Amino acid sequence: MAVCVIVRRLDGIPLALELVAPRLRVLDPARLVERLDDRFTLPAGSGRGRPARQQTLQAMIDWSWEPLPEDERTVLRRLAVHADGCTLEAAESVCAQAWRCSPDGGQLCGE
């Protein structure tokens, strides 16, 4: 049961699971659940052999967020209001204020 809670709290994100797995050597799953208050500050240990971007979940998010152009960041910030995913219609409703075409022919919402 505790393992299912761990997976749910980490949103099933493979890197997040990989970061906490070494903790199971010293903590049983129930104790680990107690320590998972903030999934973005997961204790990652030394991270030997992993690139810096893979040593914490926050580092991985920063690594993928920082190169995004501002209009794509705007889209993601607006979509973040949907905690458990959303339908296309719901996505359109939060981004409908300023649709525009992107250079590749897709659509992005921007300010």
Side-chain angles (χ1 to χ4, degrees):
M1 184 64 159
V3 172
C4 292
V5 173
I6 291 168
V7 172
R8 258 195 315 273
R9 284 216 190 144
L10 299 176
D11 297 325
I13 298 171
L15 179 60
L17 296 169
E18 189 178 319
L19 290 172
V20 299
R23 299 291 172 223
L24 293 171
R25 291 186 199 130
V26 293
L27 298 171
D28 65 53
R31 299 279 291 185
L32 183 58
V33 167
E34 294 171 5
R35 296 171 184 242
L36 287 180
D37 293 330
D38 184 358
R39 65 180 161 234
F40 295 108
T41 57
L42 296 173
S46 67
R48 286 185 302 243
R50 282 187 283 204
R53 69 178 182 269
Q54 293 179 357
Q55 292 185 16
T56 67
L57 190 54
Q58 185 64 53
M60 186 270 302
I61 291 169
D62 291 345
W63 176 81
S64 61
W65 177 262
E66 301 212 353
L68 292 175
E70 189 55 37
D71 56 354
E72 291 178 22
R73 289 182 184 195
T74 299
V75 169
L76 293 173
R77 279 192 294 269
R78 290 181 180 192
L79 292 174
V81 301
H82 302 287
D84 294 319
C86 63
T87 64
L88 176 60
E89 292 78 19
E92 288 173 339
S93 74
V94 297
C95 291
Q97 183 178 11
W99 285 98
R100 68 170 182 76
C101 288
S102 65
D104 65 0
Q107 289 195 336
L108 297 173
C109 50
E111 302 285 46

